Amino acid sequence: MQYARLFKLAKDSAVKARTQAINQLKAALVTADPDLREQLAGLKTPTLVRTCAQFDDREDDDGVKDAVGQATRIALCLLAQRIDELTRQIRDLERAPDWAGGASLSAAACPGGDLAG
């Protein structure tokens, strides 16, 4: 049963980190450019995360990069990608009892090796 405690520890940590990242993403929106805030207003968290995870380094319509706007989009994108990764980890850890029977963890879940072995 030691494995169950370890998987629970890892999952609880991932849940806490994901909650913190979601709160940080939403806090960053408070000070974001009004146009960006309006574009993202009303989106539920999963849609907001998907949208922000796809942000790229764009120029304004006049070809000029707005440094603050660019930094905001980069930060939102990185936070959203972190939320996605933590969500995947949580989902993998929820299936952890299946691994305990001898099945190995996928390389995606644990790139450094196999948790069951």
Side-chain angles (χ1 to χ4, degrees):
M1 284 299 164
Q2 178 69 16
Y3 71 86
R5 274 193 300 277
L6 294 171
F7 285 147
K8 182 180 180 331
L9 173 75
K11 180 185 170 208
D12 289 350
S13 174
V15 168
K16 183 176 178 180
R18 181 180 64 178
T19 300
Q20 185 177 21
I22 290 169
N23 291 341
Q24 289 169 340
L25 184 136
K26 290 180 178 182
L29 284 175
V30 172
T31 60
D33 176 71
D35 292 335
L36 180 59
R37 258 196 333 263
E38 184 178 320
Q39 173 190 348
L40 300 173
L43 296 179
K44 295 189 181 211
T45 300
T47 306
L48 176 64
V49 170
R50 273 195 307 278
T51 302
C52 290
Q54 296 173 5
F55 282 165
D56 58 5
D57 183 16
R58 288 186 271 182
E59 295 181 349
D60 293 339
D61 293 334
D62 62 2
V64 176
K65 289 186 178 183
D66 167 33
V68 174
Q70 181 182 12
T72 301
R73 285 189 300 276
I74 290 169
L76 291 173
C77 181
L78 291 171
L79 285 165
Q81 290 173 355
R82 181 177 305 150
I83 293 163
D84 282 342
E85 176 58 28
L86 289 164
T87 300
R88 279 190 292 277
Q89 289 178 14
I90 292 164
R91 196 175 4 218
D92 286 345
L93 288 161
E94 286 171 344
R95 294 191 309 256
D98 296 339
W99 302 327
S104 66
L105 200 59
S106 70
C110 187
D114 163 349
L115 287 184

